Structures are given as C-alpha cells and as structure tokens.
Amino acid sequence: MPQPPMIRTAAVAVALLASAALPVALPWAPPPGRAADCRGRRIASWSADSRHTAEFARYGDDNSRVDDWTGGDGTHSVRLPGGRMLWLFSDTFLDRIQPPPNPRGERHRWRTADTGGTPLLRHNSVVVTARSGRPARTLTGGTATAPGPFFPDPPGGGRRWPVGASVEPRTPGAAEKVVRVLLWNRVPGTGPWIFGVPRGTEVATLSLPGLRLESIAPTVGRTSADPDRRVLNGAAAVRDGGRTDAFGGDDPASSPASSASLARVPHGRLADRGSWRFWDGARWQRRAGRAAPVLRAGGRRGVGSAFTVVRDGPAWLLFTMDTGGGGAAGMRSITTYWSCSPRGPWHGPDRRLTPPRPPAADPRYVAAYNPQVHPGFTANGEFLLSYDINWLGPPGVPPDARLNGDVELYRPRFLRVRTGTVGG
C-alpha cells in the first residue's frame, strides 16, 4: 500500500478536525562563538508553482510509453553536470492513464494496467529531465514488459527508498564524478510496521553521464535493537564545505513525531562506511548507535519521518510536517525550525504553511506530506518546495481504488517559498 512511514501512525489523526494553536518562535540570542549575522529564519510568504506541478502531470499523463512514471511520492532531486535533473521517487505507479470519467463517474483521469489488471506499483524509480527542465524518461529495473524498481528490492524481501542524492568525485579529489544516492532499507513487517521495519542506510553509486547503477553499499547498519529507536540516515544531506552533513531520524511506531540526528561524511566518501561520523552531543564518533538527537521530539516539537534541511544565508533551515500540530494539521501543514549550526540548538517550530490539495469528494482524507526543498531550482531568494499527496481513509479502507481513480492524488505538487527573519 503506497503510504510512507509517517502516514502509518497518523492515518487516524487525519479524520479529526481539531488543530492546535499557532506555535510561537522561541526567543534567541547569538550563542558565544557564533556569527553575529546569523539570525532566525522562517517562512515569510509562498505561492503555488504551477509550472513544475503541471510538468509532472503532463509527463504522467503521457501514454507514449506504459513502463514509465504515472505517479509517486518521496520526491527528491539533484542537478547533474550539463544541466539535466535527476528526480528520485519512492513508491511509484506505472501503466496507462485513461481520460475521464473514471469508473465512479467522476471527472478525473484514472490509471489502469496496460493489460487490464491492477496497475504496477514499484518501490522506487528515477525520472530524468532534459536540459529544458521537462521530464523526459523514467529509469526502472527489470524489462520493458516487466519493469521493476530501479534500486532492486533487498534480498529476502523488503524495499529500498531513495531519500537524497549528491554529485561528488568518485574518490576525494578525483576529476571523475558520480552520483551517490542515499537509500533507506526496510525489511517486511506487520502491525505498526506494515511499511517495513527500519534496517539501515545504504548508498548507491550511479555512473555519469549514463546513470548506470554500479553498486549499492551498506553504510549505516542497525543502530538499535529496538525498531522504535532505530535511525535511518540521509533524510536530508547538505554540502558544508568539504563534507556532507547527513541528517537522520528515528521512526517510532507509536507517534508521527521523530527525533532528528546528525552524521558527517567527507566529500567524496558517502559510499565509504568507515568515513561516517556521528554527533553524540559532545563530539563526533564512529559508532552510529551512540548518536544523540540534535532535535528531540516531544510536545509540539519533532520532525516527520521525511524532512529537508537547507542553508539560508548563515543560518540552517529545516522544513517538516507539523507533527506536533495536533489533529489533522499533522498531515496537512508544514512548519520550520532554524539554527546557526547543524548541531543545533534548533529553534521552533515557527508558523505553519498549509499547502493546497487537489479537490476531492471528501477532503478530510487528502493528506499532504514529505516537504522537500530542491536546491537546483532555488533562485531570486526563493526555494522550490515539493510536497506529496495521498489518500488516507476512511480508516481500514485500502486507498488503491481512490489513488488509481484520480491520478492527482498521488503526484507531487510544488510551491515557491520566500523566507524572512524571525520577528521580521
């Protein structure tokens, strides 16, 4: 069932109509040794980015091939040398799009299998855009008649979800570039773990310019015997000088709010397991199991299982679902935290952004989640922010008929977000 881990524990909450009061930003003064020009940042204004939303709708509706992307979630991107963009998706629908009306008599485009059966759902895919920015082709595994996930499912079952990517030298200082893709590895589970029990973090290497999958290397293994405390790294990866700061989060089954942690890897060594270091609250160390949260969940605070971090001038800005907002807000609204260092302290949450969702017969069940900033499209002081759409409900009712009956319910949408200083 195509729903991310955060949705697992929040599915009941989206049916509630209550929401919490607007969070208030915490007061702040520059800590000793920090740059005096670092100031708190937050969302100042936003607008819908119809161009990117329409480009993926156009591409998904194109039936010139029926082994390519028609919808997905877990939207991430990285700019490739030469101007192309690589888009990474987690659960991905393939097959054919039909014109309206759908089988329910509604004016929606809808999805069927090319052979008339259940549409194909694969655990991941890669979409490449041309230099013009238009999506041009989908990369999957398997064959044209039996496509599989681009990053193959782990041996013994489970799934791999791509959560970020970076172009870096094949080895530190080398002229040759490759794409490193951070993957979450989940094993089959039941009950609260129907989307998979967290296993660990891997890094895939793709060749350039051909984007051939060369290898998948384990980088961070099981960080705890308790699945509730097990951290998956790479929810956000930010280039910081000669290193990459890789943020991770735990995934407690009992709560939609996770705690965020931090790892650091020299540039060019993402796939080298021995080069990863983890912040334990006082120093960097080799043992991932000793990492301490840099943003701890509790009360109104916490991050979703998918979040994003960017540099905003001298400050760091984290976008996440408002997991502490209460009621339906946790699957409909985006909030932010800020810091002068990736290690924290992180201040917030501050304000809420409730993005538009496609119209539906019962909007209570239309969820927005997984905010992701796309640095390759950041310009003129504005961030391009995507978010995913899903159908949740009623509780206990499989969403497949709704998702396939209205393709807009499982495609990314985009915003332009402008930030400002806290208190400004």
Side-chain angles (χ1 to χ4, degrees):
M1 187 163 59
Q3 299 175 358
M6 180 178 171
I7 290 181
R8 176 188 62 231
T9 53
V12 177
V14 297
L16 305 177
L17 299 180
S19 63
L22 189 68
V24 178
L26 300 177
W28 177 82
R34 298 283 171 80
D37 61 347
C38 178
R39 294 290 185 267
R41 306 293 293 174
R42 66 181 180 186
I43 297 170
S45 62
W46 62 272
S47 60
D49 187 300
S50 57
R51 183 175 75 87
H52 284 88
T53 301
E55 285 288 4
F56 275 99
R58 177 200 62 79
Y59 179 66
D61 290 343
D62 184 359
N63 284 325
S64 59
R65 292 183 55 163
V66 291
D67 63 342
D68 59 1
W69 186 96
T70 64
D73 71 351
T75 311
H76 299 79
S77 71
V78 62
R79 185 171 294 279
L80 303 177
R84 296 179 300 164
M85 293 295 298
L86 186 70
W87 294 85
L88 303 162
F89 291 93
S90 296
D91 290 342
T92 301
F93 277 114
L94 308 177
D95 282 324
R96 187 174 296 276
I97 302 300
Q98 305 290 348
N102 67 9
R104 300 169 63 96
E106 299 166 330
R107 299 295 299 174
H108 300 308
R109 293 181 180 273
W110 54 292
R111 182 186 296 106
T112 65
D114 191 44
T115 57
T118 302
L120 292 176
L121 176 69
R122 296 295 180 259
H123 289 146
N124 60 71
S125 68
V126 172
V127 174
V128 184
T129 66
R131 290 180 177 84
S132 65
R134 305 192 77 179
R137 62 186 176 120
T138 299
L139 305 180
T140 58
T143 65
T145 56
F150 182 78
F151 305 101
D153 291 340
R159 62 194 69 187
R160 287 183 167 115
W161 281 338
V163 293
S166 175
V167 174
E168 65 174 24
R170 183 177 289 278
T171 57
E176 182 186 5
K177 304 292 186 182
V178 294
V179 182
R180 308 285 193 198
V181 180
L182 289 149
L183 304 171
W184 285 350
N185 184 319
R186 290 179 174 269
V187 299
T190 58
W193 303 109
I194 58 174
F195 303 108
V197 178
R199 174 188 279 165
T201 306
E202 302 170 319
V203 173
T205 298
L206 310 185
S207 66
L208 284 171
L211 300 175
R212 179 177 63 87
L213 176 58
E214 295 184 355
S215 63
I216 297 178
T219 52
V220 185
R222 194 174 68 171
T223 59
S224 172
D226 180 0
D228 268 12
R229 300 177 59 190
R230 202 167 293 166
V231 173
L232 293 174
N233 291 272
V238 185
R239 178 77 182 274
D240 184 17
R243 55 186 177 261
T244 298
D245 290 314
F247 293 82
D250 55 19
D251 191 18
S254 59
S255 170
S258 300
S259 295
S261 60
L262 179 66
R264 177 165 286 180
V265 192
H267 192 53
R269 295 192 182 276
L270 271 177
D272 178 10
R273 185 172 191 164
S275 294
W276 284 64
R277 297 293 182 269
F278 306 88
W279 182 248
D280 68 1
R283 63 186 184 279
W284 297 100
Q285 66 160 280
R286 294 176 178 269
R287 295 185 63 177
R290 292 186 177 177
V294 294
L295 196 165
R296 189 179 297 275
R300 290 181 175 176
R301 288 171 63 83
V303 297
S305 59
F307 59 94
T308 188
V309 180
V310 293
R311 295 297 300 270
D312 191 6
W316 297 69
L317 189 61
L318 184 153
F319 293 81
T320 182
M321 298 312 299
D322 183 22
T323 59
M331 290 305 295
R332 294 181 184 168
S333 298
I334 299 167
T335 191
T336 59
Y337 296 82
W338 69 270
S339 176
C340 289
S341 165
R343 301 190 299 272
W346 287 91
H347 305 272
D350 185 31
R351 294 188 175 178
R352 285 206 300 261
L353 182 168
T354 302
R357 294 167 291 150
D362 195 336
R364 292 179 300 168
Y365 302 125
V366 180
Y369 61 101
N370 187 26
Q372 292 293 323
V373 170
H374 301 276
F377 293 99
T378 294
N380 301 319
E382 292 183 336
F383 293 109
L384 179 69
L385 182 79
S386 69
Y387 59 100
D388 297 327
I389 295 293
N390 210 320
W391 175 267
L392 288 180
V397 177
D400 301 71
R402 279 289 186 180
L403 296 180
N404 290 319
D406 180 0
V407 295
E408 287 192 54
L409 294 177
Y410 205 61
R411 285 178 176 170
R413 301 171 80 86
F414 294 84
L415 305 174
R416 284 284 174 184
V417 176
R418 184 175 292 276
T419 61
T421 57
V422 171

